[in-house]
Amino acid sequence: MKLTRHISVFVIAQLCIIGSVNCGNILVWHTEGSHWINLKPILETLIDRGHSVTVLVQSASVYMDPTEKARFSYEPFNVSISMQQMNDFFEEFIHFHMYEIDHLSYLQIHWKGYHIVKRDLKFSIQICDGLLRSETVMRRLREAKYDVLLSDPIYPCSDLVAEDLGIPLVYTLRFSVAHMWERLCGQLPSPPSFVPGAMIKLTDEMSFTERLLNFLFYASQDMMAYGYWQDIDAYYSEIRGKPSTYCEVMGQADLWLIRTYWDFDYPRPFLPNFKFVGGIHCKPAKPLPEDMEEFVQSSGDDGIVVFTLGSMIKNLTTEKGNIIASALGQIPQKVLWRLSGDKPETLAPNTRVLDWIPQNDLLGHPKTRAFITHGGTNGIYEAIYHGVPMVGIPMFADQPDNMVHMKAKGAAVIMNFNTMKTQDLVDGLNTVINEPSYKENALRLSRIHHDRPISPKDEAVFWIEFTMRNKGAKHLRVQAHELTWYQYHSLDVFAFLLAIVMLLTLLFIKTCLFCVRRCCYGAKSKRKTEHKRKQ
Amino acid sequence: MKLTRHISVFVIAQLCIIGSVNCGNILVWHTEGSHWINLKPILETLIDRGHSVTVLVQSASVYMDPTEKARFSYEPFNVSISMQQMNDFFEEFIHFHMYEIDHLSYLQIHWKGYHIVKRDLKFSIQICDGLLRSETVMRRLREAKYDVLLSDPIYPCSDLVAEDLGIPLVYTLRFSVAHMWERLCGQLPSPPSFVPGAMIKLTDEMSFTERLLNFLFYASQDMMAYGYWQDIDAYYSEIRGKPSTYCEVMGQADLWLIRTYWDFDYPRPFLPNFKFVGGIHCKPAKPLPEDMEEFVQSSGDDGIVVFTLGSMIKNLTTEKGNIIASALGQIPQKVLWRLSGDKPETLAPNTRVLDWIPQNDLLGHPKTRAFITHGGTNGIYEAIYHGVPMVGIPMFADQPDNMVHMKAKGAAVIMNFNTMKTQDLVDGLNTVINEPSYKENALRLSRIHHDRPISPKDEAVFWIEFTMRNKGAKHLRVQAHELTWYQYHSLDVFAFLLAIVMLLTLLFIKTCLFCVRRCCYGAKSKRKTEHKRKQ
């Protein structure tokens, strides 16, 4: 342990590999989509540092492939749902957010959203059950003597498995809706007056109406959460053999690695076991393939625009494709557009459409002037890392909210995917490219991103290793976990003090009345006596 | 800036010296006592890293000596109080806490304490005035083009000077009573249910009564603070030429470097511009002088006990000295005791009394079994650094509260300085030396202290340099600073919602009453009509 004193993580890294000291055995929770993309760079670094990494993967996984060649090993387990069911669910989820949401009323959105989450949690419980009821897999996990369980809590039950294996649990997450997990389970203080709930599309500077909306958003999401969580609470109680809640067990986690930082997030209160490690996957740009470099260089002083809509959007409707392609044709920059499927008819010669682009290498290229993005956190972080202003075309999940962050920080403009016209996109691109404040703000965010004592990846790795070295990190966990909600807010103390004040007031009034009565009665009887005497 | 990416602070240090890049001009606020001792190691490191450091010193300073040979330069200024007045104030302060406090009632303590603080603040305003009204010194400060002002806020007005000079302000502090500055001016969230107010001598695990006491402690201190601060608010308003409060101007600070960490403090909510850098002054032990090493080695397997009562206690009464010396004579360990003045009569051969001892080198010696301390944060941190269990004899200021922290973490026992008998001290020493849990806990705290991504000194230096490089750190400052107290707690939102609910209830009741009346009236008139018809 003494060797770790006052030396950088990079030096420790060498020690772990050379001496095989402290090299641990890490179990990783299954996940999907961009969550899996986010986990991979941490796993790679952990492996580089000599740790052994095993990733749990469920049989219906859409995004994880246990047959792919990887440096970590997979621990597969069977579940009672099919890959088709999972795929259908994702398709419905995306379709709802991309196309249905704009045609529904506020209440219909909530109603449908509620049922989608309920179904997601039903699938999640089936996945939990597949693992927890599998004696073979669970025995293998117990025998493997893991040192820590690393989990993105998007899929529940990692806390139950960590508890069963008796090992520390480290969460890594971007956010939960209205910060429900962080607030309700992790005890993260989030005053609604200046901490906008995740997904609400507000900033930390709120008017009275916005503060009211934020307050109601927290309250309504909390009520909905207790609705969602009933089934999972029952499942947790069944597995643990005692009345338990999902939230209470989640709260046992040693550390919460949050995948943002103050380059992206609004400054807010946090706790010693919450570490903000946004931008874990970011890295310097590599040289481009020769033909691509040639295309980029041909843009001259105007430079290029990089355009992707993320890993979940495979193609666009013909109409949308043409609107966008027409706009791209009207700017002097050259454009590299990642798009699967048919090429739009209105595609101009300045635009090159490709199935895949080296996004990070392009964003880090000195000729890049702007990034058209769907607003996923990964892409935004790459733009922040390289200081590139953005045009956001957010569609679903956290994307609209993410883009509001970037707009508030002056590094982006936002388009509405459903109502956007060709001219809107042209104007948006010209604004972020030609108004210097956008580039300046993007560079300011980049400076904040880079100028920290330790890189986000090193910080994440440090704290994962910390829990392994120290068998947990409970000294960072606030005592608030042991309090009820009314104790946390000192409501019992308030009630007690109020009772005392009321009692004293009552006593005072009674005493006054008593005195007044005595005085009056005394005066009255005195007058009567005097009257009688006079008579 | 790019050079700082992903490399440790130690590497940056070299760059600053070699290339003279980013080497800044740092102004340091005047201070006294242990606050000055705490500042020095940061200043030394900043100088080592190539920065130029200038320390403000007032003409009545008791602990700062502008004539002493130092690597930083002093900027002296005259004040309208004498060194004798300052000295008398310190003497009275110490005497009150050491000897008077136990003979006074709770109300008397608060009354006298209130007046001591009021007088301290009167002196403080006189010191402020000495600097701010000195055109010569202020002009010199303006011309020197400082990059940052580093200040321990124990003496006010550094914020006014930073504002005048237009430079960022970095606070470095251990705490304020009941975290008043941090809570009220820095917006640090401190729920009274699990964050004990500094100085209250409670832990983060509180019973109902303790939570009630903590709540009342916060409330009473806040009320007292607004009493203390009236004069200083008026002074701030006068200097700024507009209605201002001390707290509001303090809140403009870019960073708050708090001199504790989770090895000493209970985990609690904090903010992005609060950095916990406890143990800045700690360093490895150096070899002892030859004769002292000989004495230590002569202790054999029993080892030694190190004993100091801090820099402010010069000597003890004969009675106290004899009680302590008798106790030390009854333990098998050898003792090194730092004590000025006459040697106690009951001094035993195992105890060596010295005017000065190399405290850190002794605490880091493998033969050290325990540390008898007054409970100052500096000494406690050296004991934590070296993993030495403690016997606390706290006297005043934060010392009793500090020792409660160490007791709660299982690394210390506490003596009452005023009522302590010889046997109490013997028992206390035997407990921490012979019960293994004390040593184990001291080592656990030491592990927490050392096992962090960056050393406290490097972290403090990093953030001071950050504010210089980036002309401040306002992106870490929460929006809560712009809210009133009722907005912060969403009380206006509550009131609005309550009004809506009451209005709706009223409307509902009125509607019901109207319907009932209509029904009854209708039925009544119908009956009347029928009755008439029948007639």
Side-chain angles (χ1 to χ4, degrees), chain B residues 98-99 102-103 307 309 313 315-328 337 339 342-347 393-395 415-422 424-425:
Chain B
M98 277 183 72
Y99 300 106
D102 280 334
H103 309 292
F307 179 15
L309 290 179
I313 308 302
N315 47 43
L316 292 166
T317 60
T318 314
E319 190 203 349
K320 283 281 170 225
N322 282 327
I323 288 174
I324 293 171
S326 301
L328 300 177
W337 181 4
L339 181 70
D342 298 332
K343 287 185 182 181
E345 286 163 15
T346 56
L347 203 69
I393 313 181
M395 281 165 282
M415 304 283 113
N416 182 320
F417 178 70
N418 291 301
T419 61
M420 177 180 72
K421 300 273 175 294
T422 295
D424 297 332
L425 186 53

Side-chain angles (χ1 to χ4, degrees), chain A residues 5-6 8 193 204-205 211 268-270 272 450-452 455 462 466 469-470 479 487-488 492, chain B residues 5-6 8 193-194 204-205 211 268-270 272 450-452 455 462 466 469-470 479 487-488 492:
Chain A
R5 288 180 191 176
H6 307 295
S8 87
S193 50
D204 57 347
E205 280 183 66
R211 287 192 292 111
R268 56 161 297 150
F270 62 109
H450 291 288
D451 199 0
R452 43 184 157 176
S455 81
F462 177 87
F466 181 96
R469 280 194 293 273
N470 297 282
Q479 195 58 25
Q487 285 173 332
Y488 181 101
D492 51 348
Chain B
R5 289 180 192 176
H6 306 296
S8 88
S193 51
F194 67 98
D204 58 347
E205 280 183 67
R211 287 192 292 111
R268 54 161 300 149
F270 62 109
H450 291 288
D451 200 358
R452 43 184 155 176
S455 81
F462 177 88
F466 181 96
R469 280 194 294 272
N470 297 282
Q479 195 58 25
Q487 286 173 333
Y488 181 101
D492 52 349

Side-chain angles (χ1 to χ4, degrees), chain B residues 104 113 130 142 167 169 229 237 281 327 342-343 382 421 435 464:
Chain B
L104 299 175
R142 283 180 207 118
I167 56 174
L169 172 63
W229 293 346
S237 303
H281 66 292
D342 298 332
K343 287 185 182 181
E382 285 175 359
K421 300 273 175 294
E435 277 186 28
I464 294 166

Side-chain angles (χ1 to χ4, degrees), chain A residues 7-15 49 455 458, chain B residues 6-8:
Chain A
I7 48 178
S8 87
V9 173
F10 274 92
V11 181
I12 312 169
Q14 304 308 318
L15 295 177
R49 290 169 59 67
S455 81
D458 284 345
Chain B
H6 306 296
I7 49 176
S8 88

Side-chain angles (χ1 to χ4, degrees), chain A residues 157-208:
Chain A
C157 296
S158 57
D159 36 22
L160 289 179
V161 172
E163 189 177 50
D164 184 295
L165 304 182
I167 57 175
L169 172 63
V170 176
Y171 281 136
T172 160
L173 72 155
R174 162 67 186 89
F175 76 101
S176 61
V177 179
H179 307 298
M180 279 184 308
W181 294 334
E182 302 93 305
R183 281 186 301 117
L184 306 176
C185 317
Q187 300 293 344
L188 187 70
S190 309
S193 50
F194 67 99
V195 182
M199 303 273 276
I200 198 178
K201 295 178 266 176
L202 290 174
T203 75
D204 57 347
E205 280 183 66
M206 289 181 266
S207 65
F208 173 78

Side-chain angles (χ1 to χ4, degrees), chain B residues 502-515:
Chain B
M502 283 168 71
L503 197 71
L504 289 176
T505 314
L506 198 72
L507 267 173
F508 178 74
I509 294 171
K510 287 272 180 199
T511 315
C512 286
L513 283 175
F514 177 77
C515 292

